[in-house]
């Protein structure tokens, strides 16, 4: 697949924060207007957010998810990608709906080596699932070389030949090992569930080019916007809570483009 080149004169990326309910706000976006969606909605586990009670019946929760996913499908360009974070037991139930509208690419896992609370009668949870879908049959972009990880055995004859032919490494496996953003991290905000920016960067690099528009309907602490600003993608972010929106605005001010 030929990589698209960002021909326009390089300009600062733009990051819009809409403080509101995404079910309503998404309806104001034009059909096929975004290149990529990366999002991490509430998981229906009773998490303490400022403005959102994260507890509904399972049926209600799934219907609510479908109401904004339907809009996500509408606003995504043909060939655009969706990365949907959630607990596996929620994503499993959302797949039949997504399968009707998008093309399934991969069920992926974010594994974090942290004990977030043990149960006396269950195994300790250390994973979120990430569903990767595209709209239509072919992705507009999959920048495999931009996310390549160094080969483990670069002295192997076959691998040496690949490196000599310009390959940078192997495409990441579908289980991502990143720790949670800890309180001691200099990037940590007051938001209760902040995704590591370096994890989101992988999906932004893979499924968009510079200058593209990335949507996150559940901004939270605005980690998606943070990754987009670093990578010169534009972003459109929706978040219900005014305090989190303010955190996001301040956070984005501190990030430089092309920051590494
Ligand atoms: C799991 S968190 C997102 C965290 C984010 N990925 C990050 O890294 O910081 C979900 C967010 O969705 C917000 N939210 C809940 N319902 C919403 C709605 N209807 N519209 C927009 N945002 C909503 C919550 O306030 C919360 O900040």
């Amino acid at each position: 697949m030929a990589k698209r080149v960002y021909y326009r004169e390089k300009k600062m990326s733009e990051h819009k924060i809409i403080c509101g309910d995404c079910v309503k706000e998404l309806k104001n976006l034009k059909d096929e207007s975004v290149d990529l969606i990366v999002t991490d909605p509430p998981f229906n586990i009773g998490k303490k957010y400022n403005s959102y009670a994260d507890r509904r019946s399972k049926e209600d929760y799934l219907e609510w998810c479908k109401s904004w996913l339907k809009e996500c499908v509408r606003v995504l360009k043909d060939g655009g990608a969706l990365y949907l974070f959630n607990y596996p037991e929620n994503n499993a139930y959302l797949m039949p709906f997504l399968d009707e509208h998008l093309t399934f690419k991969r069920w992926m896992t974010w594994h974090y080596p942290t004990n977030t609370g043990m149960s006396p009668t269950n195994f300790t949870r250390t994973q979120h699932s990430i569903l990767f879908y595209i709209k239509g049959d072919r992705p507009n972009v999959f920048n495999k070389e931009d996310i390549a990880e160094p080969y483990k055995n670069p002295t192997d004859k076959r691998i040496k030949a690949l490196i000599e032919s310009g390959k940078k490494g192997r495409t990441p496996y579908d289980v991502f090992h990143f720790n949670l953003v800890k309180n001691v991290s200099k990037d940590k905000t007051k938001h209760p569930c902040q995704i590591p920016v370096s994890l989101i960067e992988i999906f932004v690099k893979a499924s968009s080019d510079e200058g593209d528009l990335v949507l996150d309907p559940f901004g939270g602490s605005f980690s998606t916007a943070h990754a987009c600003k670093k990578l010169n993608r534009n972003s459109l972010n929706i978040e219900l809570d005014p305090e989190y929106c303010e955190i996001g605005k301040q956070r984005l001010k501190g990030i430089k483009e092309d920051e590494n």
Side-chain angles (χ1 to χ4, degrees), residues 20-22 40 42 49 52 191 193 195 217-218 220-221 223 239-240 244:
D21 181 343
C22 69
D40 167 42
Y49 297 113
Y52 175 77
H191 195 277
C193 43
I195 293 188
F218 297 94
S221 68
S223 299
E239 167 56 51
L240 197 58
Y244 299 156

Side-chain angles (χ1 to χ4, degrees), residues 72-123:
C72 287
V73 169
R74 180 183 65 75
V75 302
L76 192 61
K77 286 182 189 169
D78 198 36
L82 164 75
Y83 292 85
L84 178 64
F85 285 71
N86 212 318
Y87 275 175
E89 59 267 39
N90 289 333
N91 267 347
Y93 281 96
L94 293 172
M95 276 190 67
F97 176 80
L98 290 169
D99 285 342
E100 273 178 42
H101 301 282
L102 299 172
T103 307
F104 173 75
K105 293 293 287 181
R106 191 70 80 216
W107 175 291
M108 305 192 288
T109 298
W110 167 26
H111 163 68
Y112 38 88
T114 298
N115 172 9
T116 55
M118 282 197 218
S119 156
T121 57
N122 208 342
F123 298 92

